[in-house]
Amino acid sequence: MSLSYDVVVVGAGTAGAYTAYNLAKRGFRVALLESKSGDKVGVKTCGDALGKHHVDRMAKYLTPNPKILVNDIKGVELFSPDMRTKYVIPGEGYMLDRFNWGKWLVKEAINAGAEFYEGHTATVPILENGQVSGVKANDNRQGTHKEFRGRIVVDASGSVGVVRSRLPDTWPISERLHPEDVSHAYREVFYIDGSVENPQYIKIYLDQTISPGGYWWAFPYSSDFLNVGLGVWGTLKVNPNANYKRYLEPRYRIKNKVHMGGGFIPTRRPLKTLVWNGIVAVGDAAAAVNPLHGGGIGQALLTGELASKAIERAFSAGRYDAATLWSYNVDYMNEWGYRQAQLDVVRLMLQTLDNDDLNFGLSRKLLTEQDVLDISSRGVTLSVVDKLRLALQFVGRPGLLMKLYNAMSYAKRIGDLYLQYPQRPEELDRWYAKVVETYREYRDKIGLGPMPA
Ligand SMILES: Cc1cc2nc3c(=O)[nH]c(=O)nc-3n(C[C@H](O)[C@H](O)[C@H](O)COP(=O)(O)OP(=O)(O)OC[C@H]3O[C@@H](n4cnc5c(N)ncnc54)[C@H](O)[C@@H]3O)c2cc1C
């Protein structure tokens, strides 16, 4: 059976449902495919924390039911491995009732006019004349095969990127995720006996034994209802589930568990390109995640918004090739991609530090709470680089400080390169060669090997 739409969206998580909503609202005929059956829609293993600025931006198009935003978060408490130093970083946000958030988004997409195909698993893209023109899918319940055809396919299938990763190697959007650029995470949601301190602050704990190359967290939905988990760096082959059971579970007097699960998250610089002929990637499928903390719900919304605008422009032009969809890349790099690249540089450096370095760095406030806030909200600026250059003369551990200084100065350089993202696909290779060269220099300086292919 072959079905025809303007746009076929694969995956009904936050990114896919929000893209489908935005496109259907603009009057496009949209098919939204989801491999889960209807009762499972909304189930997602996640920390469920979302910055308020993402919700505010979303409210231009769609306002969440306040019941889905279950805890008003005031900021982050960040702890050193020895627990002697605590940073309190202000920042408003929410904990989401994730199941109902996911269900609500899909419902909004359907109400806006998208046709929802639950229990439909996209298998391969359909390629015709150098253009993606649809996907093949299995109807899991009927056991039948279908073709969904559209001018544009949106890959919103999460970290696997099921459509883009099955495109020819010669298409730059098919870029594979290297284990070095991936984090593995495991988390449980449970009620406890008693209560946590300061439940309006999400808690992040740095500890290279418990969560090597990552962190562990306790995010409160309320004083006695928590989301606790950890993420580890992909290359280290540490089992996050085993570390959870060993180190985290014994810390809480758990009354009853509500949900458990793991997943992997792309934690890296932006993909070389988020579009190609007839294809657009959003959310985790576009690796649009904060590489430092692995948060990607906000970026799933952002990419859904920006991709929908680019798709609308393509329909106005009547062309669906890489060049016509390219404005999505440029918008993305200018809005968030350059900061994603900056944070990726910082993340690579942090992953080389041990607990001693982290204890020292945090206790001496090599970067203050304000610096951390500025970097996360505005990106790395020259003032942070200058401050570290000055500090080099005065603080002990010159090796550590030099690493931090290099990270900040290369973050600035690489961010600037992403702000000069090419305006046309033909310029991509030349630009990307500069990115690779700058990363190579940086990795040399902080003692990491060559950039993984
Ligand atoms: C343990 C963990 C903790 C996290 N904590 C946070 C946090 O606190 N805050 C935050 O902002 N982010 C967090 N993230 C990241 C965040 O969950 C993701 O970035 C975000 O949910 C991505 O949304 P998405 O729509 O791109 O992908 P997903 O939510 O993964 O949605 C993809 C959808 O595609 C469907 N699909 C997959 N393959 C197919 C196919 N072949 N055919 C049809 N459908 C398919 C899937 O079933 C799924 O519904 C965390 C992630 C993990 C794993």
Side-chain angles (χ1 to χ4, degrees):
M1 188 203 289
S2 182
L3 298 143
S4 191
Y5 289 88
D6 294 327
V7 183
V8 179
V9 180
V10 175
T14 301
Y18 193 53
T19 309
Y21 166 82
N22 277 305
L23 289 170
K25 267 274 176 219
R26 289 173 160 88
F28 295 106
R29 294 191 60 241
V30 181
L32 176 60
L33 274 54
E34 170 55 54
S35 56
K36 287 178 197 146
S37 57
D39 55 329
K40 298 274 175 354
V41 169
V43 175
K44 167 75 188 170
T45 297
C46 184
D48 302 347
L50 180 63
K52 178 172 178 294
H53 60 288
H54 293 300
V55 178
D56 291 346
R57 178 172 181 142
M58 180 191 202
K60 279 192 280 176
Y61 306 93
L62 188 58
T63 307
N65 178 340
K67 283 191 189 146
I68 295 174
L69 312 173
V70 288
N71 189 6
D72 285 339
I73 298 297
K74 303 280 174 241
V76 182
E77 292 178 341
L78 173 76
F79 295 87
S80 62
D82 60 10
M83 300 291 241
R84 291 205 182 121
T85 312
K86 176 169 95 171
Y87 278 28
V88 181
I89 304 156
E92 287 179 275
Y94 305 101
M95 286 299 287
L96 302 180
D97 169 348
R98 199 63 157 77
F99 182 58
N100 284 317
W101 164 268
K103 275 209 160 336
W104 163 73
L105 271 176
V106 171
K107 200 164 130 263
E108 289 292 342
I110 296 168
N111 289 346
E115 288 183 35
F116 184 47
Y117 291 86
E118 56 164 296
H120 280 66
T121 301
T123 51
V124 281
I126 302 169
L127 283 178
E128 283 163 344
N129 306 318
Q131 188 84 13
V132 175
S133 57
V135 289
K136 294 188 177 178
N138 294 333
D139 178 337
N140 304 334
R141 252 186 319 200
Q142 307 291 335
T144 52
H145 307 295
K146 293 178 184 163
E147 284 187 3
F148 288 84
R149 291 182 169 266
R151 295 287 190 188
I152 294 173
V153 170
V154 176
D155 189 349
S157 62
S159 309
V160 195
V162 79
V163 185
R164 69 165 195 86
S165 66
R166 289 176 191 173
L167 290 168
D169 287 346
T170 48
W171 288 32
I173 194 174
S174 72
E175 195 179 350
R176 306 288 186 268
L177 299 178
H178 189 275
E180 191 177 285
D181 291 334
V182 163
S183 295
H184 296 272
Y186 179 81
R187 71 96 180 90
E188 296 195 353
V189 175
F190 52 77
Y191 286 90
I192 53 167
D193 253 338
S195 55
V196 285
E197 265 179 44
N198 305 330
Q200 286 182 308
Y201 284 79
I202 59 171
K203 291 132 200 356
I204 290 186
Y205 303 86
L206 299 176
D207 192 313
Q208 299 289 32
T209 307
I210 299 175
S211 44
Y215 62 90
W216 72 272
W217 72 82
F219 293 173
Y221 301 98
S222 69
S223 61
D224 67 345
F225 185 30
L226 307 179
N227 181 313
V228 176
L230 75 156
V232 301
W233 197 6
T235 39
L236 298 177
K237 299 195 167 44
V238 172
N239 181 339
N241 187 329
N243 275 18
Y244 177 89
K245 295 274 179 287
R246 180 167 174 198
Y247 296 110
L248 301 188
E249 196 165 72
R251 287 170 192 250
Y252 295 93
R253 282 192 292 151
I254 297 171
K255 256 197 335 208
N256 67 311
K257 292 188 182 181
V258 174
H259 195 259
M260 307 157 238
F264 75 97
I265 315 160
T267 37
R268 48 162 285 159
R269 66 200 174 281
L271 290 182
K272 255 186 252 179
T273 171
L274 283 58
V275 304
W276 209 250
N277 299 336
I279 170 106
V280 167
V282 292
D284 283 10
V289 174
N290 182 318
L292 210 49
H293 59 53
I297 306 172
Q299 285 74 10
L301 296 171
L302 175 72
T303 49
E305 177 195 320
L306 299 179
S308 311
K309 288 180 182 162
I311 290 170
E312 184 174 35
R313 289 193 284 267
F315 274 91
S316 304
R319 290 192 309 274
Y320 313 96
D321 55 358
T324 312
L325 292 165
W326 203 254
S327 61
Y328 169 39
N329 276 332
V330 178
D331 289 348
Y332 179 76
M333 298 309 167
N334 283 333
E335 289 235 17
W336 163 249
Y338 82 97
R339 276 196 283 147
Q340 182 181 343
Q342 289 185 335
L343 295 174
D344 183 50
V345 169
V346 179
R347 171 288 287 188
L348 284 169
M349 184 275 299
L350 285 176
Q351 285 174 328
T352 68
L353 303 184
D354 58 22
N355 277 350
D356 238 24
D357 291 331
L358 291 168
N359 287 330
F360 181 87
L362 289 167
S363 65
R364 299 295 170 95
K365 305 239 158 163
L366 297 185
L367 290 176
T368 62
E369 277 116 322
Q370 188 58 44
D371 293 332
V372 177
L373 182 64
D374 288 348
I375 291 168
S376 58
S377 55
R378 295 210 297 270
V380 174
T381 58
L382 274 177
S383 70
V384 177
V385 180
D386 285 343
K387 180 184 142 176
L388 287 169
R389 187 185 296 129
L390 261 180
L392 268 172
Q393 306 160 39
F394 302 115
V395 190
R397 296 234 185 171
L400 172 63
L401 206 63
M402 186 50 101
K403 264 192 185 174
L404 199 52
Y405 169 68
N406 277 326
M408 291 304 147
S409 41
Y410 274 87
K412 176 80 179 70
R413 275 176 62 183
I414 292 201
D416 289 350
L417 256 178
Y418 275 82
L419 285 171
Q420 293 155 28
Y421 187 83
Q423 299 292 318
R424 282 180 291 281
E426 305 80 76
E427 296 160 10
L428 182 65
D429 286 346
R430 202 145 50 98
W431 171 81
Y432 194 64
K434 288 191 218 160
V435 172
V436 172
E437 180 51 24
T438 317
Y439 261 93
R440 193 196 57 72
E441 255 182 59
Y442 169 59
R443 294 174 64 99
D444 252 16
K445 286 219 153 86
I446 60 163
L448 283 170
M451 192 156 160

